Amino acid sequence: MCRNIKTLFNFEPPATEDEIHASALQFVRKLSGFNKPSQANEAAFNLAVTEVSEAARRLLTSLHTTAPTRDREVEAEKAKERSRLRFG
């Protein structure tokens, strides 16, 4: 599951709310072991996703770097090339 969590810092344009939420959702899924929680656990699961999203947003806004911003398309091409080399 965690393979779907993408790096969100230092990209232009910055990470969107949807990207932050998707990353938090994957993180909570991994921690809980639930892809979709039962009704009994749904409220706790959703609260955790909200809280992790807020923490991630605070983290991303507080980080600083002198490195040049990365381009999403260039990084996607690099990942495709790595996959091609690895799996043929």
Side-chain angles (χ1 to χ4, degrees), residues 15-85:
T16 64
E17 289 298 316
D18 287 340
E19 289 172 317
I20 293 170
H21 178 79
S23 184
L25 178 60
Q26 287 299 321
F27 182 73
V28 172
R29 283 177 174 168
K30 183 66 172 185
L31 287 178
S32 68
F34 300 138
N35 191 34
K36 182 173 181 358
S38 65
Q39 283 184 324
N41 294 317
E42 190 171 14
F45 184 90
N46 291 338
L47 178 61
V49 171
T50 299
E51 290 176 346
V52 170
S53 293
E54 291 169 0
R57 190 177 313 102
R58 283 192 307 272
L59 173 66
L60 291 172
T61 58
S62 66
L63 294 174
H64 301 282
T65 184
T66 57
T69 56
R70 295 178 281 180
D71 183 285
R72 292 176 193 279
E73 292 178 17
V74 171
E75 295 300 319
E77 286 301 318
K78 288 181 188 178
K80 286 178 188 175
E81 180 62 18
R82 285 191 303 271
S83 179
R84 187 188 67 73
L85 291 172

